[in-house]
Amino acid sequence: MIDHASVVSNDATSAIEVVVARDPDGPTEIQVFIDGFPRTITEYHVDPGAGWTWTDWTRARDHNLANASPAARAALRQVYANPPGGEYISDRGGASWLDDTEVDGAESCRNQECD
């Protein structure tokens, strides 16, 4: 669960609107507007039920953690620590959700492509 109390807004008067169009068999389209103006966003979609293998899951997790801002990384770490629906990820074995791989992998992804 994300600790929303730790998220502090720099401008409490800004109106933030989010439009999400989700195709159950396709991509999710997200649009964000701040004070009525569209903004470019980066989406970090954590969906354990999408048919991941453990290897693919950790690769995507490490890539997301490496590219997220510090605030987004903190929120992502909370989600990745115990993802809802995690039982659907195959070949995990007894690995920890946040194993040492994501720390080293996140640092190495900063200077190279990790996709």
Side-chain angles (χ1 to χ4, degrees):
M1 176 174 229
I2 298 174
D3 179 8
H4 294 283
S6 68
V7 178
V8 179
S9 173
N10 290 335
D11 185 0
T13 62
S14 291
I16 300 172
E17 301 166 293
V18 179
V19 178
V20 179
R22 183 179 177 278
D23 178 345
D25 296 317
T28 299
E29 182 179 322
I30 300 174
Q31 299 175 64
V32 174
F33 301 86
I34 299 178
D35 292 331
F37 295 96
R39 300 296 301 228
T40 301
I41 66 160
T42 301
E43 174 190 0
Y44 298 105
H45 197 109
V46 179
D47 184 4
W52 296 93
T53 64
W54 181 245
T55 300
D56 290 339
W57 174 263
T58 58
R59 185 178 299 122
R61 176 201 64 194
D62 294 348
H63 180 267
N64 288 345
L65 290 170
N67 290 291
S69 68
R73 186 176 307 110
L76 282 167
R77 285 184 61 83
Q78 287 183 13
V79 173
Y80 282 125
N82 188 20
E87 66 273 12
Y88 297 109
I89 298 171
S90 63
D91 304 323
R92 177 175 166 232
S96 170
W97 286 111
L98 288 174
D99 57 19
D100 291 338
T101 307
E102 64 84 22
V103 174
D104 296 334
E107 291 304 315
S108 66
C109 284
R110 291 194 185 283
N111 298 317
Q112 60 186 339
E113 188 170 321
C114 294
D115 291 330

